[in-house]
């Protein structure tokens, strides 16, 4: 009855009773209370909400209506529960990492909006079920100078804390000299992030194409005006509605990501009609792009589309991307070469030429990177077909054969090999020829066995 009164009749009357859970201050179903507590912790973590949310008037009223008997924990209690959840998940992740025979890392330095520097390190490994798994080792505040020694010390501390110092096979980073030098200090193989290479190639090509770079600057100003002016934003929405088009906002580019430039141009080209009409009706010194400008923009979007697809393909976290680097590089080179041969003179053709030259400059050595070439050879989708150079493919096969031979030698050295029984002296033995052939196969060098296995 008390629960009914509180829920349905908006009363906070408390009746004295010698029995019952309400008088004791305990929730009647402790398993449900624990479930509700865990749900609040999940909400705080997954939605990135502040701890103070649980003390908000709206949230507490909501919980009273949903379950009047449940007492929402205070912010300090919620903070403690979140920290406990972190320790539980970290312990589980450490146990999973102990089972992994090898791991790879990705690391990056970045700066927050408040100009605070951080070092983020992520670990990648295969689970017992051969699923690609990822765990964030840490995002460490980095107030010291960004020297190679300081970065190496911070990364080494993280690896030691997680117990993976002797399991790290490679670390993927951008091409900054300080972070590359820090990886070398740790005596770990460094792999240049392919998505970062693509970013450098496209950004350099856009800056070399003066007409496109001018259009980019103009587009930034237009988008910035519609982002900062309520009048302009409302005018664009009304114009889109009157033309029967979806009310989509313009996209502003981010300086560090080239594909945001692609998204900005793509949205602007899609909304060119309502955007032009909105700009014409506004009192500003901004002018819309001409029809010729939009044609040039469309040409550039066509040229950049494969690069955007490659960036998206390589930005996934749940699929192995190492074996895709060489074939994607080959496909991009092929596509841009075809574009250069077929496209008429103009901004798009100039951009395609710069992309082709910069691709050749940045990507020419990828097929000689051991980890990438072996991954490609071992991927049953690609094997040798993905290589531009047959000699590089053959070199990768030879490297793989040598590695396989070393594994065979190690295995045979560790195992106790039974001595082959001597061939029977009886000349009438029907199986004498086959027995001698088997013995000769068992004593063949490891390099021959490795070569045969690789070819098969």
């Amino acid at each position: 009855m008390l629960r009914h009164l509180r829920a349905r009749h908006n009363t906070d009357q408390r009746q004295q009773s010698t029995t019952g859970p309400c008088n004791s201050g305990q929730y009647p179903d402790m398993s449900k209370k624990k479930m509700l507590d865990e749900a609040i912790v999940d909400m705080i973590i997954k939605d990135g909400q502040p701890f103070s949310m649980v003390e908000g008037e709206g949230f507490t009223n909501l919980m009273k209506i949903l379950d009047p008997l449940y007492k929402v924990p205070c912010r300090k209690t919620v903070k403690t529960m979140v920290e406990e959840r972190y320790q539980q998940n970290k312990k589980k992740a450490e146990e999973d990492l102990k089972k992994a025979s090898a791991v790879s890392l990705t690391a990056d330095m970045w700066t927050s909006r408040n100009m605070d520097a951080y070092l983020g390190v992520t670990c990648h490994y295969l689970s017992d079920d051969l699923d690609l798994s990822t765990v964030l080792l840490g995002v460490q505040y980095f107030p010291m100078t960004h020297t190679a020694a300081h970065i190496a010390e911070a990364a080494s501390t993280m690896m030691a804390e997680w117990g993976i110092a002797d399991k790290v096979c490679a670390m993927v980073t951008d091409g900054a000299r300080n972070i590359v030098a820090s990886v070398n200090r740790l005596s770990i193989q460094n792999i240049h992030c392919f998505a970062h290479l693509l970013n450098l190639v496209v950004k350099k090509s856009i800056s070399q194409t003066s007409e496109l770079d001018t259009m980019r600057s103009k587009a930034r100003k237009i988008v910035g005006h519609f982002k900062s002016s309520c009048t302009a934003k409302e005018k664009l929405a009304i114009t889109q509605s009157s033309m029967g088009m979806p009310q989509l906002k313009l996209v502003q580019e981010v300086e560090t990501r080239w594909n945001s430039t692609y998204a900005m141009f793509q949205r602007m080209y899609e909304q060119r009609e309502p955007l032009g009409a909105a700009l014409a009706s506004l009192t500003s010194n901004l002018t819309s792009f001409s029809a010729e400008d939009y044609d040039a923009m469309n040409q550039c979007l066509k040229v950049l589309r494969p690069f955007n697809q490659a960036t998206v393909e390589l930005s996934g976290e749940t699929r192995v991307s190492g074996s895709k680097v060489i074939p994607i590089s080959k496909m991009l080179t092929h596509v841009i070469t075809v574009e250069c041969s077929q496209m008429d003179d103009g901004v798009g053709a100039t951009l395609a030429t710069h992309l082709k030259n910069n691709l050749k400059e940045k990507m020419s050595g990828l097929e000689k990177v051991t980890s990438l070439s072996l991954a490609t050879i071992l991927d049953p989708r690609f094997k040798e077909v993905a290589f531009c150079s047959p000699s590089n493919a053959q070199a990768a096969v030879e490297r793989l054969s040598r590695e396989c031979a070393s594994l065979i030698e190690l295995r045979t050295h560790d195992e106790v090999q039974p001595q082959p029984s001597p061939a029977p002296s009886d000349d009438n033995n029907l199986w004498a020829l086959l027995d001698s052939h088997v013995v000769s196969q068992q004593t063949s060098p490891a390099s021959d066995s490795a070569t045969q296995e690789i070819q098969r």
Side-chain angles (χ1 to χ4, degrees):
M1 286 298 296
L2 182 60
R3 179 175 180 177
H4 172 80
L5 284 172
R6 289 177 176 171
R8 300 298 180 185
H9 299 286
N10 195 23
T11 177
D12 209 18
Q13 178 185 3
R14 297 180 181 273
Q15 298 184 3
Q16 298 297 325
S17 173
T18 57
T19 60
C22 300
N23 188 55
S24 64
Q26 293 184 352
Y27 193 80
D29 187 351
M30 296 306 293
S31 62
K32 183 180 179 183
K33 180 183 183 301
K34 184 178 180 180
M35 184 174 65
L36 290 171
D37 289 343
E38 293 294 326
I40 290 178
V41 172
D42 285 339
M43 179 193 66
I44 295 291
I45 295 172
K46 294 179 180 179
D47 297 342
Q49 297 293 339
F51 297 130
S52 59
M53 180 181 180
V54 295
E55 297 177 347
E57 183 179 354
F59 181 75
T60 53
N61 287 338
L62 172 65
M63 295 307 296
K64 282 181 182 179
I65 295 173
L66 292 175
D67 194 339
L69 298 182
Y70 175 69
K71 184 178 179 181
V72 178
C74 66
R75 59 185 298 175
K76 290 184 178 179
T77 304
V78 171
K79 181 179 179 181
T80 302
M81 290 191 294
V82 170
E83 290 174 348
E84 290 174 354
R85 177 74 67 84
Y86 166 75
Q87 293 298 335
Q88 292 171 4
N89 288 351
K90 182 179 179 182
K91 184 177 180 180
K92 182 179 182 301
E94 287 175 340
E95 292 173 354
D96 291 340
L97 283 176
K98 286 180 181 178
K99 300 175 185 177
S101 58
V103 302
S104 65
L105 303 178
T106 52
D108 191 24
M109 296 290 301
W110 58 278
T111 306
S112 70
R113 293 180 179 179
N114 295 328
M115 300 306 295
D116 294 325
Y118 292 89
L119 171 66
V121 181
T122 308
C123 180
H124 311 272
Y125 62 97
L126 288 176
S127 68
D128 290 339
D129 299 326
L130 296 183
D131 293 326
L132 185 61
S133 303
T134 299
V135 59
L136 178 65
L137 300 187
V139 180
Q140 180 174 324
Y141 177 54
F142 209 86
M144 63 280 287
T145 54
H146 298 178
T147 61
H150 287 156
I151 297 173
E153 182 181 358
S156 178
T157 302
M158 282 192 195
M159 290 188 292
E161 178 185 351
W162 287 82
I164 58 171
D166 57 342
K167 296 182 179 182
V168 180
C169 297
M171 183 181 291
V172 181
T173 66
D174 59 21
R177 292 183 179 180
N178 57 343
I179 201 164
V180 171
S182 70
V183 179
N184 294 333
R185 277 175 169 267
L186 295 170
S187 300
I188 298 174
Q189 180 188 4
N190 178 245
I191 299 177
H192 196 163
C193 173
F194 184 63
H196 184 258
L197 277 176
L198 273 183
N199 191 63
L200 294 177
V201 166
V202 180
K203 285 179 68 68
K204 183 178 180 180
S205 301
I206 291 176
S207 62
Q208 289 175 333
T209 310
S210 57
E211 300 93 332
L212 180 59
D213 201 38
T214 303
M215 291 171 59
R216 172 175 163 263
S217 299
K218 183 176 180 179
R220 282 179 60 90
K221 292 179 181 179
I222 292 175
V223 175
H225 179 68
F226 279 89
K227 290 284 187 183
S228 59
S229 171
C230 295
T231 304
K233 178 183 175 182
E234 186 66 23
K235 189 65 179 178
L236 178 60
I238 293 173
T239 308
Q240 289 171 331
S241 180
S242 63
M243 291 185 175
M245 299 181 67
Q247 295 185 14
L248 301 175
K249 297 179 181 179
L250 299 181
V251 178
Q252 184 62 282
E253 75 165 359
V254 180
E255 186 65 30
T256 55
R257 295 190 180 97
W258 85 265
N259 53 337
S260 65
T261 307
Y262 178 86
M264 178 179 69
F265 279 135
Q266 187 178 43
R267 179 60 56 83
M268 189 164 282
Y269 183 78
E270 292 172 351
Q271 302 294 322
R272 58 190 181 279
E273 294 181 1
L275 178 60
L279 279 173
S281 62
L282 294 172
T283 55
S284 67
N285 56 358
L286 295 173
T287 57
S288 180
F289 288 107
S290 64
E292 291 77 11
D293 291 335
Y294 278 120
D295 287 340
M297 189 184 297
N298 190 33
Q299 287 181 3
C300 294
L301 285 172
K302 181 183 178 183
V303 172
L304 292 172
R305 189 169 294 116
F307 290 84
N308 184 61
Q309 293 173 348
T311 302
V312 173
E313 179 81 16
L314 289 166
S315 298
E317 199 175 64
T318 57
R319 296 182 180 179
V320 175
S321 54
S323 61
K324 295 180 182 178
V325 170
I326 290 175
I328 285 181
S329 175
K330 178 180 180 179
M331 293 303 101
L332 286 175
T333 302
H334 169 72
V335 168
I336 206 65
T337 302
V338 173
E339 289 288 350
C340 287
S341 63
Q342 295 180 350
M343 189 168 285
D344 297 331
D345 292 339
V347 181
T350 305
L351 175 63
T353 301
H354 290 314
L355 285 169
K356 179 182 177 181
N357 296 335
N358 291 326
L359 262 181
K360 184 177 180 181
E361 176 188 348
K362 294 287 186 182
M363 309 294 182
S364 58
L366 289 177
E367 294 186 358
K368 297 180 180 179
V369 178
T370 300
S371 55
L372 299 179
S373 61
L374 293 187
T376 306
I377 285 289
L378 287 167
D379 195 316
R381 297 170 297 180
F382 307 129
K383 301 182 182 179
E384 297 174 281
V385 182
F387 288 77
C388 290
S389 168
S391 60
N392 288 335
Q394 185 58 36
V397 171
E398 292 173 359
R399 281 196 296 270
L400 184 61
S401 299
R402 289 195 296 270
E403 186 167 338
C404 185
S406 65
L407 291 174
I408 292 176
E409 289 176 353
L410 181 63
R411 184 182 63 197
T412 54
H413 180 268
D414 293 340
E415 292 176 353
V416 179
Q417 295 292 334
Q419 295 296 326
S421 56
S425 57
D426 186 1
D427 294 337
N428 295 324
N429 182 17
L430 178 64
W431 300 102
L433 178 62
L434 183 61
D435 289 339
S436 61
H437 179 68
V438 170
V439 170
S440 65
Q441 288 294 315
Q442 290 177 343
T443 58
S444 62
S447 58
D448 294 343
S449 300
T451 302
Q452 294 171 11
E453 183 173 343
I454 298 302
Q455 291 303 324
R456 281 198 296 265

